Amino acid sequence: MAKNILICDDAAFMRMMIKDILTKNGYNVAGEAENGVKAVEKYNELKPDLVLMDITMPEMDGIQALKKIKEADSSALVIMCSAMGQQAMVIESIQAGAKDFIVKPFQADRVIEAVKKVVG
């Protein structure tokens, strides 16, 4: 059965790119969120198998959203997405419970590799 994935990124074209990569590889995009507040709401509503979470977003950043999701569901699987040069934030997100991270600009094979590693 296809895994359901929630995509959280404030840039619509980034969500579109990730969605394209995932659907071409047999994954189901359960929903999208454009900020951390929406990411937490959508997670609780959709209970996806995996979340791809951008670190830098308005209203609530990805790390805060990750912490809120992990508080609500300690078994939540989250992969963080970051721009180059956000090493400190990547480390903080891994410590907060993220399973992996992908660096922008996305490479399709790296996205799929990370997703397969985390949810199969």
Side-chain angles (χ1 to χ4, degrees):
M1 199 167 115
K3 297 288 184 189
N4 290 316
I5 301 175
L6 173 62
I7 300 170
C8 309
D9 197 306
D10 56 330
F13 79 97
M14 282 295 183
R15 294 197 306 269
M16 207 173 69
M17 276 175 57
I18 299 172
K19 187 175 188 171
D20 190 51
I21 293 167
L22 293 171
T23 52
K24 281 181 178 162
N25 285 276
Y27 292 97
N28 180 41
V29 175
E32 297 180 29
E34 66 279 359
N35 63 52
V37 174
K38 290 263 193 294
V40 175
E41 285 171 10
K42 290 268 190 190
Y43 183 85
N44 292 327
E45 176 193 325
L46 301 167
K47 301 284 187 232
D49 298 304
L50 176 67
V51 181
L52 292 178
M53 179 89 69
D54 185 23
I55 290 179
T56 315
M57 291 187 290
E59 289 185 56
M60 180 192 292
D61 70 29
I63 294 173
Q64 288 174 296
L66 165 68
K67 288 175 179 170
K68 288 234 180 288
I69 288 170
K70 292 297 271 187
E71 272 170 33
D73 178 3
S74 61
S75 64
L77 299 174
V78 181
I79 295 175
M80 301 305 281
C81 307
S82 74
M84 283 303 235
Q86 289 182 315
Q87 264 55 35
M89 289 175 136
V90 167
I91 291 164
E92 187 183 342
S93 60
I94 298 289
Q95 288 168 339
K99 295 293 177 201
D100 201 351
F101 66 94
I102 310 165
V103 177
K104 295 177 182 179
F106 299 117
Q107 267 134 16
D109 55 351
R110 175 66 188 112
V111 172
I112 296 305
E113 176 193 321
V115 170
K116 277 185 178 159
K117 189 173 97 179
V118 177
V119 292

